[in-house]
Amino acid sequence: MTNIIAIVGRPNVGKSTLFNRLIEERKAIMDNQSGVTRDRIYGKAQWGEHFFTVIDTGGYVEGSEDTYENAIRNQVIIAVEEAQVILFVVDLQTGITDLDKEFANIIRPYNKPTLIVVNKTDQPIQSHLAGEFYALGIGEIFPISAQNGSGTGDLLDEVVRKLPQKGDEKDPYEHLPKIAIVGRPNAGKSSFINVLLGEERSIVTDLAGTTRDAIHSHYKAFGKEFLLIDTAGLRRKTKVKEDIEFYSVMRTVRAIEETDVCIVMIDATRGFESQDMNIISLAERNHKGIIIMINKWDMIEKDHKTAQAFQLHIKKKLGEMAYIPVIFTSVIEKQRIFQTINKAIDIYQARAQKLSTSALNKAILPEIENYPPPAYKGKYVQIKYITQLPPKNPTFAFFCNLPQYIKDPYKRFLENQIRKHFDFDGVPIQIFFRKK
């Protein structure tokens, strides 16, 4: 069983800084601007022999009509309900605020172990000033500095005393397929995640750029189990103006690097644009499984030929990556969203398959015999045998007498023959030639 610690509080008190310190990596985006964290972000942490999951949340604001802040409040409440221990972060420099008092009243009825974390106590001599937060009447006080780490040891000692058990050392989801939802801003990625999970896991608004951090969610339904990764929308570099947005893009790139399969979501109302192609190319360069999900297809005026024409247009743009499958969906209408997930799992399994050397040679050598490599400078290339190499993504070595004379067109021919005989739909293939 996993222990869960929720970090909560009003905006700009240092929750994300504390989160990053506890999990010992810069996972949450930090900025002096309030409201940077919006969705719930999860990370693994350890203290002594205890292991637990830490949740970072957005700053809690009461009575605001701002679209984001209303959604953030819901996310904070969900985190409080999930947690075994609550870290209520306040700011020593500001002192108790009305919002701190209001939030204390919100979490008090949950009757969960709560520690008041008085952040920004940067000098030990300031610790006595933290006493005023006893007025919140909700838990023991721990003066700390999330920035330099002072006081966090005492805080964690108390946290683990309140945990029901030591927790799981290993990530229980480590072995599961990872599927990242990527694409341009406002394509419907977070809505897709929420429909699959049946809860408001990611904040959804009509405004582009709602999601900033990459958010991991465990999915288990209909015999499927995997990790879904919701990511910030990728813009062109020229459109990335804020530091916050820059770090969001970096989180998305890192999510692509760590995933197994990328579902590239495209907004049908905007069509297939160059930035979509850039995202697909990024996934392909990282050798990830890829599926193209055309969302908002219900909003397109169409006849029986519209989907075929749209697909032909995309395949033409993809060129050598035309092996990537395309599915037309509507998240709002729940059309073909589970078909998309099933296809993503199929691609994961295809990417993970290991072909025996005998099966490869039996299928591919006759094709090579029928269409041998072209002669180069009067010399003939002879391919002796093929084998699959150990890397996680499908990688094949062709052993021959003159590997330097095999050119890209014939390399593409060999890739097509592998795809013809084996199921690698949506999976990039690497081919190397070695001297035998």
Side-chain angles (χ1 to χ4, degrees), residues 345-363:
I345 292 294
D346 290 343
I347 291 173
Y348 168 80
Q349 292 170 344
R351 182 173 179 264
Q353 67 181 314
K354 299 298 180 185
L355 304 176
S356 69
T357 300
S358 59
L360 271 170
N361 286 276
K362 184 178 179 180

Side-chain angles (χ1 to χ4, degrees), residues 291-326:
I291 179 172
I292 295 174
M293 177 180 178
I294 311 295
N295 189 29
K296 306 183 186 179
W297 192 240
D298 58 306
M299 299 174 65
I300 299 295
E301 290 187 18
K302 47 190 174 292
D303 56 30
H304 65 286
K305 293 183 178 179
T306 308
Q308 184 181 11
F310 200 104
Q311 185 161 5
L312 286 173
H313 171 70
I314 291 176
K315 294 288 185 180
K316 186 177 180 181
K317 292 276 190 180
L318 291 174
E320 295 175 14
M321 293 187 288
Y323 59 82
I324 299 172
V326 179

Side-chain angles (χ1 to χ4, degrees), residues 165-318:
Q165 70 266 314
K166 290 186 176 180
D168 300 318
E169 178 176 357
K170 292 184 178 179
D171 184 347
Y173 308 135
E174 188 176 5
H175 66 287
L176 295 180
K178 294 185 179 69
I179 300 175
I181 319 300
V182 298
R184 285 179 291 158
N186 214 26
K189 300 183 293 298
S190 295
S191 297
F192 179 46
I193 296 280
N194 290 344
V195 168
L196 288 174
L197 298 177
E199 64 167 288
E200 192 176 312
R201 178 64 184 84
S202 300
I203 292 175
V204 178
T205 72
D206 292 330
L207 304 175
T210 306
T211 303
R212 284 174 169 169
D213 290 283
I215 304 162
H216 295 58
S217 303
H218 177 221
Y219 180 87
K220 185 177 183 180
F222 306 107
K224 309 292 182 184
E225 188 174 8
F226 48 87
L227 281 181
L228 281 169
I229 306 175
D230 186 14
T231 62
L234 282 175
R235 304 174 189 263
R236 296 187 187 92
K237 287 183 180 179
T238 53
K239 297 284 183 72
V240 179
K241 296 177 181 178
E242 301 177 56
D243 287 344
I244 296 168
E245 194 168 352
F246 168 78
Y247 288 115
S248 298
V249 170
M250 292 301 101
R251 296 293 193 279
T252 301
V253 171
R254 192 167 72 176
I256 291 174
E257 290 173 348
E258 74 166 296
T259 196
D260 298 303
V261 178
C262 292
I263 297 178
V264 181
M265 184 175 286
I266 293 170
D267 185 338
T269 63
R270 290 186 286 178
F272 188 79
E273 296 183 349
S274 59
Q275 184 62 359
D276 296 314
M277 192 66 203
N278 291 339
I279 295 167
I280 293 168
S281 297
L282 177 62
E284 193 271 341
R285 286 197 302 273
N286 282 279
H287 314 299
K288 305 303 179 180
I290 308 168
I291 179 172
I292 295 174
M293 177 180 178
I294 311 295
N295 189 29
K296 306 183 186 179
W297 192 240
D298 58 306
M299 299 174 65
I300 299 295
E301 290 187 18
K302 47 190 174 292
D303 56 30
H304 65 286
K305 293 183 178 179
T306 308
Q308 184 181 11
F310 200 104
Q311 185 161 5
L312 286 173
H313 171 70
I314 291 176
K315 294 288 185 180
K316 186 177 180 181
K317 292 276 190 180
L318 291 174

Side-chain angles (χ1 to χ4, degrees), residues 5 24 37 44 60 66 121 127 132 136 204 207 215 236 245 263 284 289:
I5 313 298
E24 298 182 330
T37 301
K44 297 291 290 184
Y60 190 93
D66 183 273
T121 311
S127 297
E132 69 168 304
L136 293 173
V204 178
L207 304 175
I215 304 162
R236 296 187 187 92
E245 194 168 352
I263 297 178
E284 193 271 341

Side-chain angles (χ1 to χ4, degrees), residues 49-154:
E49 297 180 350
H50 288 76
F51 300 86
F52 47 92
T53 295
V54 186
I55 311 177
D56 186 21
T57 63
Y60 190 93
V61 177
E62 191 63 67
S64 170
E65 296 181 359
D66 183 273
T67 304
Y68 288 136
E69 290 175 349
N70 181 53
I72 287 169
R73 284 197 296 274
N74 294 334
Q75 294 285 322
V76 173
I77 294 303
I78 292 171
V80 169
E81 291 173 346
E82 287 183 302
Q84 275 93 41
V85 178
I86 299 168
L87 301 185
F88 180 11
V89 183
V90 293
D91 185 340
L92 179 75
Q93 309 298 331
T94 307
I96 293 181
T97 67
D98 290 339
L99 190 53
D100 291 326
K101 295 175 183 177
E102 290 174 13
F103 187 50
N105 291 331
I106 294 292
I107 60 177
R108 188 176 287 111
Y110 288 94
N111 198 29
K112 292 190 174 184
T114 303
L115 306 179
I116 299 177
V117 182
V118 186
N119 191 28
K120 305 183 185 178
T121 311
D122 299 324
Q123 302 294 332
I125 198 173
Q126 298 174 312
S127 297
H128 70 282
L129 300 174
E132 69 168 304
F133 290 96
Y134 279 114
L136 293 173
I138 200 170
E140 192 174 347
I141 287 175
F142 289 85
I144 72 154
S145 171
Q147 191 69 45
N148 64 38
S150 66
T152 53
D154 292 338

Side-chain angles (χ1 to χ4, degrees), residues 342-391:
N342 284 331
K343 187 62 180 177
I345 292 294
D346 290 343
I347 291 173
Y348 168 80
Q349 292 170 344
R351 182 173 179 264
Q353 67 181 314
K354 299 298 180 185
L355 304 176
S356 69
T357 300
S358 59
L360 271 170
N361 286 276
K362 184 178 179 180
I364 307 301
L365 286 181
E367 302 286 0
I368 293 173
E369 192 173 330
N370 291 333
Y371 185 68
Y376 185 78
K377 295 183 178 179
K379 296 183 178 181
Y380 292 91
V381 179
Q382 294 180 324
I383 296 176
K384 305 298 176 71
Y385 70 96
I386 312 111
T387 189
Q388 186 171 357
L389 299 177

